[in-house]
Amino acid sequence: MNSFQEINVGDTLGPLELTVSRQQCRDYAQIMGVAGIAGRFTDDEAAKKEGLPGIILPGNMSLGLLAKLVTDWIGMGNARMTRIGTTYRQPVQPDRPITIEGFVTNTDAAERTAEIELWIENEDAERLVVGTATVTFSK
Amino acid sequence: MVDFDPAIINKTFETTEPVEVNADWIQHYCEVVGETNPLYVDEEAAKKGPFGGVIAPPSYAVTFRNGRHFFEHVPRFGRRGFDAGKDVEFVAPIRPGDKITLSSAVKEIYEKTGRSGSMVFVVIRSTLKNQKGEVVAHIDHRFMNRP
């Protein structure tokens, strides 16, 4: 990635286009240890009983996808993602194409930080998950 | 007004048993969320990087369970609860071999009225520490309850 001096407000991250498989969704639920207790992530019938269209991604998995956009941007650079905040507005479904994007909204030369806005969008350009992150560069 | 006992705020209700992080779990996590950064998946490359070896991706911090008694201590308002969002501060990297504990407390409870009616938000703060007692992350979990 660029050094802190080369980062500008408006720099973009992504877009990253992907489709999360149902298996990935189940695997994530397994990692979190919620596969057995929250059927909405693993079992279509259980999800439908909750009024959902079918299984959905755990919120934390969406956080993981947004975080990946930031860690890809950092690469092996001398910086670290030090904060992320997410809001889950609408469920993210597996087997449906999504786009993950972001851009730099602010930089702070004294703190050597960059603020980033992030989102996950569906095919209808609806923002299902929105977030912000802070990347801190080594001094 | 939402009714709850104010004594529960900021009182740690549970500290989990330590969970040892191993390199295989980190690899599996990276495959599932698509993390390919060499810092997390390539030991040789990571050795030359800023952390001197493989570390877990920052988002790995949110995969730890909040403890066995979580739901006994977290008040529910209404029938349905959803994960509304997170605010995570990554203080230090998590490395293979680290033994991570979580301590959790109710941080805040507030009510909001949206287009679809009243919602109660319960914010749980979990602090993750490693075996040296160093804080590695603070996680604020925002749960939305709907009557």
Side-chain angles (χ1 to χ4, degrees):
Chain A
M1 97 177 282
N2 299 331
S3 65
F4 177 73
Q5 286 76 11
E6 290 168 297
I7 306 289
N8 291 303
V9 171
D11 285 356
T12 54
L13 287 74
L16 181 66
E17 291 173 1
L18 58 99
T19 303
V20 175
S21 72
R22 303 169 77 74
Q23 192 55 46
Q24 268 176 289
C25 188
R26 293 195 182 100
D27 285 348
Y28 193 97
Q30 202 81 46
I31 288 171
M32 274 192 66
V34 296
I37 55 170
R40 70 179 77 155
F41 308 129
T42 55
D43 175 2
D44 280 320
E45 288 312 309
K48 283 176 185 165
K49 276 188 192 148
E50 291 193 63
L52 297 163
I55 63 169
I56 60 168
L57 271 63
N60 286 348
M61 187 172 190
S62 293
L63 182 149
L65 298 175
L66 289 176
K68 172 196 154 50
L69 190 71
V70 178
T71 53
D72 280 356
W73 184 66
I74 295 170
M76 299 265 301
N78 215 356
R80 217 164 63 80
M81 181 168 75
T82 47
R83 189 194 63 80
I84 192 166
T86 54
T87 299
Y88 310 127
R89 285 179 169 176
Q90 289 185 56
V92 181
Q93 295 173 253
D95 285 348
R96 301 279 289 269
I98 51 172
T99 305
I100 306 173
E101 286 188 77
F103 69 96
V104 176
T105 56
N106 197 22
T107 58
D108 182 326
E111 297 292 327
R112 293 179 66 82
T113 55
E115 294 297 323
I116 296 163
E117 195 170 312
L118 301 156
W119 62 91
I120 299 178
E121 218 169 68
N122 67 10
E123 290 167 289
D124 300 322
E126 293 171 314
R127 292 192 181 181
L128 309 175
V129 180
V130 295
T132 58
T134 306
V135 172
T136 304
F137 292 74
S138 297
K139 290 185 178 163
Chain B
M1 269 300 280
V2 55
D3 188 30
F4 63 92
D5 177 3
I8 64 171
I9 301 295
N10 292 331
K11 189 176 156 201
T12 299
F13 58 76
E14 186 173 4
T15 299
T16 63
E17 292 297 316
V19 172
E20 186 166 347
V21 176
N22 71 54
D24 290 344
W25 290 1
I26 294 175
Q27 293 312 304
H28 180 53
Y29 177 79
C30 287
E31 283 164 25
V32 171
V33 295
E35 284 277 13
T36 53
N37 190 317
L39 291 174
Y40 318 131
V41 298
D42 183 340
E43 184 61 43
E44 284 311 306
K47 270 184 192 159
K48 297 174 197 137
F51 306 105
V54 157
I55 59 168
S59 63
Y60 189 75
V62 299
T63 66
F64 292 91
R65 292 295 298 280
N66 281 299
R68 286 162 51 187
H69 305 291
F70 185 73
F71 291 106
E72 292 164 34
H73 294 274
V74 176
R76 291 287 289 266
F77 302 89
R79 284 186 304 119
R80 304 179 68 191
F82 283 101
D83 186 354
K86 298 271 183 292
D87 282 292
V88 190
E89 187 191 341
F90 305 104
V91 181
I94 295 173
R95 298 170 186 274
D98 276 359
K99 296 184 180 74
I100 304 293
T101 54
L102 266 83
S103 300
S104 300
V106 178
K107 184 185 172 188
E108 211 182 343
I109 297 176
Y110 58 93
E111 199 169 2
K112 258 186 167 181
T113 307
R115 275 176 301 178
S116 54
S118 165
M119 298 166 281
V120 178
F121 288 86
V122 178
V123 182
I124 308 297
R125 165 157 281 210
S126 297
T127 296
L128 279 68
K129 288 184 180 173
N130 64 18
Q131 66 283 4
K132 297 176 206 156
E134 296 164 340
V135 172
V136 294
H138 296 288
I139 305 173
D140 286 353
H141 312 263
R142 215 158 55 248
F143 294 106
M144 191 261 274
N145 293 249
R146 215 182 254 293

